[in-house]
Amino acid sequence: GVPIYLTGGIILIATGTVYDNYPGEGNLFDKTTYQEDYAEGSGFLSIAESILWCFVMSLSLKLFACTCQQMGFGKMMKQSVKIRQMVGINTHMIRTMKIILRRPGLDVAKVAILVGGPDWPTSVLCGIMGLDLLPVLFGTIPVSVLIFPTILAGTFVYIGSLQFENDSGQMEFSFPWAKTFTAVMLTVAAGV
């Protein structure tokens, strides 16, 4: 979940760009900035393209995990007493989730469970109940509202760590404002 998106915002952005020692000038969104100074293959995307790449990877990972949990554990092992115990099939929370997930179509409550419910029990429960995979995945896509600001927070952590050597030989942060934007994006993600 969130720790993976935050870490992706740090690592995948750093991997996709050439700004390890960004000199504090130039266009941060231009992938050709100082490209000639780096070895071939050291960076291949701008910051904006790296954020988009990280977003696609994070959403794909979320949907893949939901698919594996629903089809692999829930559907294939729905008769297993151990799996049913791990999901907590007889708890009040899961019984309430079952009532809402049985409703036809997608409504706000169903999407709220698919996006905000605990990942493993929710996906496995959908498999145990025999729900169709595509509507469940479609109902999970609004998790993008959480993924994007979390990735941006990680990106600002990375950007805020970039330093350069100034004229007097001391190291300075290239983007001191990035720490503020990290806090703002984490607040936005927490409010979602």
Side-chain angles (χ1 to χ4, degrees), residues 45-64:
L45 299 170
S46 69
I47 292 288
E49 291 168 334
S50 294
I51 291 169
L52 182 62
W53 174 53
C54 184
F55 175 75
V56 169
M57 295 301 294
S58 297
L59 185 59
S60 299
L61 181 63
K62 170 70 173 178
L63 296 177
F64 179 71

Side-chain angles (χ1 to χ4, degrees), residues 23-83:
E25 54 190 55
N27 184 357
L28 188 62
F29 294 94
D30 182 8
K31 67 181 168 190
T32 60
T33 303
Y34 303 102
Q35 183 85 27
E36 303 82 31
D37 297 338
Y38 289 86
E40 187 176 322
S42 64
F44 54 92
L45 299 170
S46 69
I47 292 288
E49 291 168 334
S50 294
I51 291 169
L52 182 62
W53 174 53
C54 184
F55 175 75
V56 169
M57 295 301 294
S58 297
L59 185 59
S60 299
L61 181 63
K62 170 70 173 178
L63 296 177
F64 179 71
C66 290
T67 300
C68 290
Q69 292 163 2
Q70 181 177 344
M71 302 308 285
F73 289 100
K75 188 172 184 177
M76 301 300 240
M77 304 176 82
K78 66 181 171 185
Q79 299 301 325
S80 169
V81 174
K82 188 67 178 168
I83 293 293

Side-chain angles (χ1 to χ4, degrees), residues 10-11 30 51 77 79 90 132 138:
I10 298 168
I11 295 173
D30 182 8
I51 291 169
M77 304 176 82
Q79 299 301 325
N90 291 320
D132 290 334
F138 187 71

